[in-house]
Amino acid sequence: ERLLASPRFGEKWGRHWLDVARFAESTGKQVNFSFPHAWRYRDWVINAFNSDMPHADFVIRQLAGDLIPSSRESEKDANRVATGFLAVGAKALNERNATQFAMDLADEQIDATTQAFLGLTVACARCHDHKHDPVTQAEYTALAGIFRGTDTCYGTIRLVQALHPSRLIALSDKAPPGREPLLAEEVAAIKRRRDNLGEELESLRSKDPAAAFLSVQGIRLRIQQGIAQGRLELYHDNGEPKRLAMGAKDRFFQPDVPIYERGEIDHPGKTIPRGLPQSLGGTPEKVRKGSGRLELARWIAGHPLSARVAANRIWRHMMGHGLVPGGDNFGAAGTPPKDPALLDWLASEFLSHGGSTKHLIRAIALSRTYRLGHEADANGMEKDPDNTTWWRHERRRLDAESLRDSILAVSGRIDLEPLRGTLLPQSSEGPAIGPMGNGGGEVPSAKRSIYLPVLRDAAPESLAL
């Protein structure tokens, strides 16, 4: 009970979900731009586990929190931030074709959503009918229309090789700022630098238009001017930081998407109305309002697989390996559960207590199975050497975050105060720079490991080791 009530609970179990949700603070891919507002989603996840948010709410808010009506500004802010789940994925910002970028973004969101909440690889049906599960390319396209009708707000600026800038979502003034205010003199200095860079660039353009775009000097001036402008857009004129967040919202127009032959945008076919996959229990009716994300979110939250996937993950983190190995493939190509009756019971127990993660953890922790020792005996090793029936407790490797946190704890240096903001360099949504410079390295912090910067392709040194 003490551990379940601890504020550290959300940091421990939130880390597990952030891994599933492919959380990172940069775009990755060929042009790695930072997401300096991703920390709000991280904090939302921690708070959700600490408050033992019901599983259905946990699903719906991450997929369609912006569409849930609320009279309280703080709740509206939290619901908007929750949709950061859809925005924190990897992005190829240097893709020159806008339609290709949009379809790749929708595909990444379909893949993350269906694997995280349903344990299914629906994205395999992008180019053809699914080879194993009963998901057709038309059903995939109906889902793609839902995400194409969604405005994903991740907040990168337009720079050289970053061709798809994005806005951010404005929050109320009650939201924590996440960064220190600037003095009026600092704001003025950034404006002067932006203007001076613009004058230099204009001078170069007047002398040699090609050089302004192709020369090293021209590229440098454009990058520096863009970063200065991007930083200004994070603050009000008085230096007060704007309250901004990554997330999703419906577009003004929700166009349906055609089936693309072999997934190639140059070969569009029949247009498919937005909708839910009927082969997985979705209704055949066309989405009647908006993008359809809210209908999708409610359908997933009530799907039998949703609770089974969640229960299997909780079991895996408690017991060492899942009833369904891997945890993210409940489809025909995945490994069947080792004990179907136990998985059914866990999912039913989970749902009968409102989708309470803490209840299921408590039930497992108080079980005889969880309390078994790890010692082996000859009879057990002969009958079940792989321990598929959990006749003894599995030894588990200590994860990197727990190891680092333990070192800080026993040294007396650990700082248990939650971080409000990010340890990323606080310039703007420009190119991602490692905490210790371009070479990566590690930020000197005594905070728990969940608060370390998570840049794609540049893991903190202690966790990488």
Side-chain angles (χ1 to χ4, degrees):
E1 295 300 331
R2 177 178 58 83
L3 293 172
L4 289 172
S6 168
R8 311 283 82 77
F9 172 83
E11 293 170 341
K12 172 69 176 178
W13 282 83
R15 177 69 266 170
H16 296 326
W17 177 253
L18 291 175
D19 290 339
V20 173
R22 83 275 188 236
F23 173 79
E25 295 183 82
S26 70
T27 62
K29 301 285 187 177
Q30 298 86 350
V31 183
N32 203 6
F33 268 50
S34 62
F35 291 148
H37 300 275
W39 65 271
R40 292 191 190 273
Y41 174 69
R42 175 202 69 201
D43 287 3
W44 181 88
V45 169
I46 293 172
N47 292 335
F49 277 96
N50 276 334
S51 66
D52 201 17
M53 181 178 291
H55 179 67
D57 289 347
F58 188 68
V59 174
I60 293 171
R61 294 185 188 193
Q62 290 182 82
L63 295 177
D66 59 304
L67 301 176
I68 300 174
S70 175
S71 59
R72 293 187 295 137
E73 282 297 329
S74 59
E75 188 173 1
K76 286 182 181 178
D77 284 346
N79 288 342
R80 293 182 187 118
V81 169
T83 62
F85 171 84
L86 295 174
V88 296
K91 295 170 181 62
L93 295 181
N94 66 336
E95 171 58 57
R96 295 188 176 277
N97 188 303
T99 302
Q100 184 69 56
F101 178 82
M103 288 304 299
D104 288 347
L105 177 58
D107 181 73
E108 194 275 337
Q109 292 169 330
I110 291 172
D111 193 39
T113 298
T114 56
Q115 288 204 56
F117 297 116
L118 297 175
L120 296 175
T121 55
V122 173
C124 290
R126 179 178 186 177
C127 306
H128 48 70
D129 291 350
H130 202 294
K131 296 294 185 182
H132 305 287
D133 297 328
V135 180
T136 66
Q137 189 181 10
E139 290 176 319
Y140 169 92
T141 305
L143 280 176
I146 291 175
F147 291 105
R148 283 294 304 273
T150 298
D151 185 7
T152 306
C153 304
Y154 47 90
T156 61
I157 58 178
R158 183 181 291 277
L159 278 180
V160 178
Q161 292 299 304
L163 308 177
H164 303 278
S166 165
R167 298 170 296 172
L168 289 161
I169 293 174
L171 304 177
S172 72
D173 291 339
K174 295 181 180 179
R179 60 176 67 213
E180 295 297 320
L182 296 178
L183 298 174
E185 295 80 6
E186 293 178 292
V187 175
I190 297 172
K191 287 182 178 180
R192 284 196 301 272
R193 174 168 174 73
R194 176 202 60 188
D195 295 341
N196 291 339
L197 288 165
E199 291 174 4
E200 286 187 55
L201 186 60
E202 189 58 37
S203 175
L204 179 62
R205 187 180 289 116
S206 62
K207 295 176 183 176
D208 187 350
F213 287 92
L214 302 176
S215 70
V216 173
Q217 181 187 7
I219 293 172
R220 177 183 61 81
L221 289 172
R222 284 154 55 205
I223 289 176
Q224 291 178 347
Q225 184 189 33
I227 290 176
Q229 179 61 34
R231 190 176 187 198
L232 285 173
E233 291 174 0
L234 301 179
Y235 295 89
H236 296 289
D237 288 339
N238 63 359
E240 182 69 18
K242 296 178 181 177
R243 272 61 169 177
L244 301 168
M246 300 175 68
K249 57 184 180 180
D250 271 10
R251 296 186 183 277
F252 291 113
F253 302 99
Q254 285 82 28
D256 292 325
V257 177
I259 290 180
Y260 291 106
E261 185 180 347
R262 298 187 303 277
E264 298 177 5
I265 61 171
D266 294 333
H267 296 86
K270 177 184 176 183
T271 298
I272 303 296
R274 300 185 306 286
L276 309 177
Q278 297 178 46
S279 58
L280 301 177
T283 56
E285 292 85 4
K286 182 180 182 296
V287 171
R288 293 186 175 88
K289 183 179 179 182
S291 64
R293 270 187 302 119
L294 188 56
E295 291 96 325
L296 173 65
R298 287 172 174 163
W299 173 71
I300 289 178
H303 198 285
L305 276 178
S306 185
R308 292 165 67 82
V309 169
N312 185 66
R313 287 203 182 102
I314 294 170
W315 177 272
R316 173 160 60 92
H317 291 306
M318 295 289 287
M319 302 300 299
H321 58 264
L323 288 155
V324 174
D328 287 333
N329 193 350
F330 276 59
T335 305
K338 298 174 181 177
D339 191 334
L342 176 56
L343 182 57
D344 286 345
W345 184 89
L346 290 169
S348 298
E349 184 74 5
F350 184 56
L351 289 175
S352 66
H353 287 80
S356 166
T357 297
K358 289 188 177 184
H359 171 79
L360 196 57
I361 290 173
R362 183 187 293 108
I364 294 172
L366 295 179
S367 69
R368 175 182 175 275
T369 305
Y370 181 81
R371 290 180 285 148
L372 288 170
H374 66 79
E375 295 81 6
D377 62 62
N379 184 45
M381 292 302 293
E382 180 180 352
K383 291 183 177 179
D384 183 13
D386 295 327
N387 194 29
T388 60
T389 55
W390 285 278
W391 58 271
R392 63 189 181 100
H393 204 96
E394 281 288 301
R395 283 184 171 182
R396 288 174 290 167
R397 295 183 67 88
L398 194 65
D399 59 74
E401 289 87 353
S402 297
L403 180 57
R404 178 183 175 276
D405 294 348
S406 298
I407 292 171
L408 286 171
V410 298
S411 70
R413 292 185 55 239
I414 194 165
D415 179 3
L416 293 177
E417 186 68 24
L419 178 69
R420 291 291 177 259
T422 176
L423 294 173
L424 282 174
Q426 292 287 287
S427 54
S428 72
E429 295 87 346
I433 300 174
M436 303 297 287
N438 286 318
E442 180 148 351
V443 62
S445 173
K447 296 288 186 184
R448 285 196 67 164
S449 300
I450 193 170
Y451 297 114
L452 292 179
V454 184
L455 294 179
R456 286 186 163 94
D457 305 319
E461 187 175 11
S462 62
L463 303 187
L465 288 172

